[in-house]
């Protein structure tokens, strides 16, 4: 039997000056999802990565869920050029109503 990973120190933080949402383990950057703002309505996710030391813990999915919830709270819409975010959206339909196709 394998022990579950310890995610107790993990937080998800929006860093608008860097145009990204981060996974933080205390002061350590564990991963992020980067976005751009093509207009006043959309947040276009372009890249997601998680440090190998934090892989396999479900953190990328939690980060994307947190980021997309924040986009919704801002009253904006989602575009997913990032392959990870695009794949995540095909399995989680809670954001279909605010997702627009990537051109």
């Amino acid at each position: 039997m394998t022990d579950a990973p310890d995610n107790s120190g993990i937080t998800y933080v929006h860093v608008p000056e860097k145009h990204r949402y981060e996974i933080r383990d205390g002061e350590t950057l564990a991963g992020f999802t980067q976005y751009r703002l093509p207009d006043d309505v959309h947040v276009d996710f372009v890249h997601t990565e998680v440090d190998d030391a934090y892989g396999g813990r479900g953190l990328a999915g939690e980060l994307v869920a947190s980021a997309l919830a924040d986009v919704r709270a801002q009253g904006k819409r989602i575009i997913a050029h990032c392959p990870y975010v695009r794949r995540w959206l095909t399995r989680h339909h809670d954001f279909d109503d605010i997702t627009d196709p990537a051109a």
Side-chain angles (χ1 to χ4, degrees):
M1 185 164 131
T2 311
D3 290 334
D6 179 15
N7 292 343
S8 61
I10 300 296
T11 57
Y12 304 97
V13 181
H14 185 199
V15 186
E17 62 274 10
K18 292 185 177 181
H19 286 217
R20 68 186 190 184
Y21 291 84
E22 296 179 347
I23 303 168
R24 308 287 305 173
D25 183 4
E27 295 298 313
T28 302
L29 177 64
F32 63 89
T33 188
Q34 190 86 32
Y35 63 85
R36 65 184 191 90
L37 302 171
D39 54 44
D40 293 339
V41 177
H42 291 96
V43 178
D44 181 4
F45 289 88
V46 295
H47 181 70
T48 302
E49 66 180 71
V50 175
D51 187 284
D52 289 343
Y54 292 88
R57 295 168 57 174
L59 300 179
E62 291 294 323
L63 173 64
V64 168
S66 175
L68 300 185
D70 187 58
V71 170
R72 171 172 284 165
Q74 294 176 45
K76 295 193 175 188
R77 299 186 62 78
I78 299 159
I79 299 172
H81 278 101
C82 170
Y84 182 85
V85 175
R86 192 168 42 245
R87 225 175 15 258
W88 191 93
L89 284 165
T90 65
R91 288 179 266 136
H92 302 88
H93 298 283
D94 298 346
F95 299 96
D96 287 354
D97 61 319
I98 62 166
T99 301
D100 292 328

